[in-house]
Each structure stands twice: as C-alpha cells, then as structure tokens.
Amino acid sequence: MTATSPNATSPSSASSLVGRAGDTVDAPGGVVWALRDSWNEATRHLRAVPRSPELLLFATLQPIMFVLLFNYVFGGSVNVGGDYTQFLIPGVFAQTVVFGSAFTGIGIAEDLQKGFIDRLRSLPISQGAVLIGRTMSDMVRNVLTFLVMLGVSFLIGFRFEGGLAKGLLATALLLGFSYSFSWIQALIGLSVKSVEAANSAGFIWMFPLTFLSSAFVKPENMTSAWLRKVAEWNPFTIVTNAARALYGGTPVGDTVWQSIVFAIAITVVFSFLAVRKFKSAASH
C-alpha cells in the first residue's frame, strides 16, 4: 500500500490557521468541524486511488482467488450439508472485508514514517478526524472490492436466496464489522516502527481469526473439541453466520444483534485507544 505523499492536498481547514513551523495550534471544536475535517482527510486519500489503480486491482485479485480456489478445489470434499458455494461465499466476503481493514494500519504507518502525522498534529484540525478520514476512505475502497467480488460470486452461482433486502442487510453488517476492525489496524499502524511491521502485524493475527471460524467449514466438523469451542465463540464466526443466514434466507437467531454489539464495542474501544495514541505519536 502506498499512501499519498506529504505534499498531497492538505486539509482545507488548516490553510489559514497554521502557526509558525513546529507550533501546535488548537483545533476549532464542535461536531461540524470534526466532520468537515474528517471528510477533507477522507477525500485526500480517495483522490490517490485513481493515481494508483494497481493497489485496488491487487486488493481485489486475492479474494477472487480465494473464491475460485476454495469453491472448485475444496468444494467437492467439504461436507456442509448443502450447496458449498452458498455456504462458502459469505465466509469469503467476511474474510475479504476484514482483511481489507489492514490497509488502514499500513497507510497510517507510512504517513507516520514519512513524518506526515507530525505535520497533521501541528495543524488546527480535529485530532480524531485524521483517523476517521482514513477509516472512511478505506471503507469506500472496501466497498469497491466487495462489489467486484459480488459480481464474480454471482457468475459461479451464488444468489441472494433470502431476497434483496436481507442481502443488503448482510452486506451492511459485514462492512460495519470491517470498519470496526479498521480501528484495531489504526492502533497497530500508530504503534509499530515501520510500514513492513504494520503489514506483518496487521495480517498475522487475522489468519487464525478467519480460518478458525465457520467461514470455510462448520465448527462441528473440526477434529478438536477446543478448536470447536474457539470457533463457536469467535466474533468472526458470529458475523459470518449472521451474513450467511441473511443471504440464504434461513433463521438468523441472535447472530445479527450479537454482530452489531461486537462491531460497536470494538469501534468504541479501539477508536478511543487509537485517538489517544495519535495525540502522542511521532515519526520514528
């Protein structure tokens, strides 16, 4: 992931309010100011997307490979008691949007390493707006990746068997869950010392999280009792089951509200920690 250069368009709120070099000017308060600054920061990142289309391309190719490989290589040997394509695709969707959150940490680490975070912290903008804008822009890119995956999934036979409304609700649930994980990645990006470390730290824990779940197999088919327990209590399993039930038109039970609670709790906790870390972050 290549973040925009420190010479890219700066937040407009800072244009006339910056003090002498190295000085820190108090940001104007209020929700409106924070939202405006967040939007300025989000658009700064989104303007970089057309200049680096290969980033979006490669971010899309990996989940497509997961869809095709798991569906055609393992589909005939995995017993889920029904159509494996309908079972698999919601799990791949969930994994893709969660993996997409890693770009938040990588981008923040790159801005930090280049000294751009120091520059932003000296400007009269909302301290949280920098992180909110980053997470918002990465959500937009996640949506674009998801739409491409959805098209490929329909080509190989996946359908919204529960209807369009439930399909849209399932999609919103997955994207909301991925947004909450962007705040975990933001904290990681602010805590490590290099882009390479952010890349490793951002992905390494997500592999056991997503594979030790119901994304690709049913937990009851796992060989170990403790693995089954871990998979069943995994928040990723809960959101995957909720999306799978909504897409498939089957009973959702408590999974939808549990997924929402998890997403809100993760967002609240890690946004607080990330913003606090941002206030003390400095280039390495």
Side-chain angles (χ1 to χ4, degrees), residues 94 97-98 101 104 131 135 139 173-188 205-206 209-210 233-240 257-275:
V97 295
V98 169
S101 69
T104 300
L131 301 181
T135 56
M139 170 66 78
L173 195 66
L174 292 174
L175 292 172
F177 198 76
S178 76
Y179 181 77
S180 70
F181 272 61
S182 291
W183 286 102
I184 300 177
Q185 299 289 358
L187 181 61
I188 292 173
W205 60 274
M206 287 195 294
L209 178 79
T210 56
W233 286 95
N234 186 346
F236 186 81
T237 290
I238 295 172
V239 72
T240 299
W257 72 260
Q258 288 175 347
S259 300
I260 294 172
V261 169
F262 271 119
I264 293 174
I266 292 170
T267 301
V268 169
V269 172
F270 283 93
S271 62
F272 171 78
L273 295 174
V275 171

Side-chain angles (χ1 to χ4, degrees), residues 5 30 34 37 73 94 122 138 148 157 164 167 174 216 238 274:
S5 164
D37 291 340
V73 176
S122 72
D138 289 339
V148 174
L164 180 60
L174 292 174
F216 305 108
I238 295 172

Side-chain angles (χ1 to χ4, degrees), residues 59-247:
T60 305
L61 286 178
Q62 179 180 337
I64 290 176
M65 290 174 60
F66 270 114
V67 169
L68 298 178
L69 288 173
F70 273 90
N71 188 66
Y72 292 112
V73 176
F74 300 113
S77 58
V78 178
N79 180 20
V80 295
D83 183 2
Y84 186 62
T85 299
Q86 286 295 130
F87 179 90
L88 169 70
I89 299 302
V92 177
F93 284 168
Q95 184 191 55
T96 299
V97 295
V98 169
F99 274 22
S101 69
F103 290 104
T104 300
I106 296 171
I108 289 174
E110 184 164 5
D111 281 348
L112 186 62
Q113 191 172 23
K114 290 180 176 180
F116 194 44
I117 293 295
D118 291 341
R119 178 181 174 185
L120 291 173
R121 288 179 61 241
S122 72
L123 300 179
I125 61 176
S126 169
Q127 296 293 288
V130 176
L131 301 181
I132 294 172
R134 167 68 71 171
T135 56
M136 287 171 56
S137 65
D138 289 339
M139 170 66 78
V140 173
R141 280 184 281 201
N142 235 351
V143 170
L144 296 176
T145 300
F146 182 89
L147 291 175
V148 174
M149 278 193 59
L150 186 62
V152 173
S153 299
F154 273 108
L155 288 176
I156 65 173
F158 176 73
R159 295 293 182 269
F160 287 175
E161 294 182 344
L164 180 60
K166 288 185 177 180
L168 293 175
L169 177 58
T171 301
L173 195 66
L174 292 174
L175 292 172
F177 198 76
S178 76
Y179 181 77
S180 70
F181 272 61
S182 291
W183 286 102
I184 300 177
Q185 299 289 358
L187 181 61
I188 292 173
L190 290 167
S191 302
V192 298
K193 296 184 180 299
S194 67
V195 177
E196 292 77 11
N199 186 44
S200 298
F203 278 104
I204 193 168
W205 60 274
M206 287 195 294
F207 278 98
L209 178 79
T210 56
F211 281 96
L212 190 55
S213 70
S214 66
F216 305 108
V217 297
K218 289 186 174 182
E220 54 263 35
N221 292 336
M222 294 181 178
T223 57
S224 172
W226 72 268
L227 283 178
R228 290 194 293 270
K229 282 296 182 183
V230 171
E232 289 167 359
W233 286 95
N234 186 346
F236 186 81
T237 290
I238 295 172
V239 72
T240 299
N241 288 346
R244 184 175 287 132
L246 289 168
Y247 284 131

